[in-house]
Amino acid sequence: MKKDFLSILDIDECELESIVTDAVRLKRLKSAGTAHEYLRGRSLGMIFEKASTRTRVSFEVGMSDLGGHALFLNPQDMQLGRGEEIRDTARALARYVDAVMIRAYSHATVEEFARYADVPVVNGLSDHEHPCQVLADIMTLSERFGDLHGLKFAWVGDGNNVCNSWILSSALTGMEIAVASPQRYRPKDEIVDQARAMGGKVTVVTDPNKAVRDADVLYTDIWVSMGDEKERSERLQALKSYTMDSRLVAQASPDALVMHCLPAHRGEEITDKVIEGPQSIVWDQAENRLHAQKALLVRLIAGGMPAGD
Ligand code: CP
Ligand code: NVA
């Protein structure tokens, strides 16, 4: 049966560990210039309803590294833009390509696509989750810390799609997640409840100082996500005391790492000094999108990497 990756919880703890291990192997093979064409002759369709830099390029280069091919599909240039239904597009595309990555405004669109396509579907970001980002982030933290169990992770700012995937991932990694958001932009209770029901340790507070105290990892993301533009001024107002600045970073563990999925808005959710500072690992995160997604695709399309490389 085909397997989709719509949520970070579509994989279990073992699968997460094995994807991270494969991603590290793929990173090494690429850096050594060793061919690793595990998806030769395979194709990935990539549908982007919204803008992207990292997701688009990392999936496209990833397929090319693996000996396959990726197609960038803009809904406005497809019959989708003229009203063709998602379920019809999904069934037709699945007859041509080996997997589809879709970035959509609504998570329901991603789910509908996956329901009708009989090839693996990957969520390249929806309003609900951004599992590919968190997969790469977990790889990035594993490279730094090894075992992630018991690490303290603080999310500061909007309780958005990336935050949701992080909250849910606590059930897989054993990290303790503290989220600090203004009341209006806190993550939904159902996400927190889902993570807790699966053993995740999650707290939600309004005070960023509380969330970051002694944290090993600090994370923030833009305050106005794609699709939220009409609320821009309310969001900037509500979130203005949630900037990841040097004062906040100083309250975390002295070796705390600072993460951001990018794109960043310096001077809003993070200061220039912090993102450019020695604790920031944002470029490693961006790079690891490539390696982690390659490992994911090899698993979804070809059942995993051959042993021994
Ligand atoms: N972090 C991330 O998904 O970036 P893009 O929007 O550029 O793809
Ligand atoms: N939360 C952001 C992430 C961008 C990668 C958004 O959805 O726009």
Side-chain angles (χ1 to χ4, degrees), residues 50 103 125 130 160-162 221-222 224-226 261-263:
K50 318 188 204 183
R103 168 169 286 195
L125 180 148
H130 195 1
N160 64 15
N161 44 7
V162 180
D221 183 16
I222 46 172
V224 186
S225 284
M226 293 178 279
C261 58
L262 306 174

Side-chain angles (χ1 to χ4, degrees), residues 51-56 103 130 133 226 261-263 289:
S52 170
T53 299
R54 283 144 287 268
T55 306
R56 177 178 174 180
R103 168 169 286 195
H130 195 1
Q133 179 67 51
M226 293 178 279
C261 58
L262 306 174
R289 293 293 303 277

Side-chain angles (χ1 to χ4, degrees), residues 105-215:
Y105 282 98
S106 161
H107 193 69
T109 302
V110 177
E111 288 181 326
E112 184 177 354
F113 201 101
R115 203 158 48 245
Y116 284 92
D118 53 15
V119 294
V121 174
V122 174
N123 176 5
L125 180 148
S126 68
D127 55 349
H128 191 59
E129 270 203 63
H130 195 1
C132 294
Q133 179 67 51
V134 171
L135 192 60
D137 293 341
I138 289 171
M139 173 191 178
T140 309
L141 291 180
S142 303
E143 290 177 319
R144 300 279 178 153
F145 292 104
D147 184 16
L148 304 185
H149 270 91
L151 285 179
K152 290 190 171 155
F153 174 104
W155 177 279
V156 176
D158 185 21
N160 64 15
N161 44 7
V162 180
C163 179
N164 286 346
S165 291
W166 263 109
I167 290 173
L168 295 173
S169 77
S170 66
L172 303 178
T173 62
M175 290 173 72
E176 293 175 22
I177 312 273
V179 177
S181 302
Q183 196 61 27
R184 178 158 174 202
Y185 298 112
R186 57 191 274 134
K188 291 205 171 62
D189 288 344
E190 70 209 45
I191 291 281
V192 176
D193 293 346
Q194 192 186 349
R196 285 185 183 150
M198 293 182 63
K201 289 196 179 140
V202 184
T203 50
V204 181
V205 296
T206 50
D207 182 357
N209 301 294
K210 252 195 197 149
V212 302
R213 198 159 303 137
D214 300 324

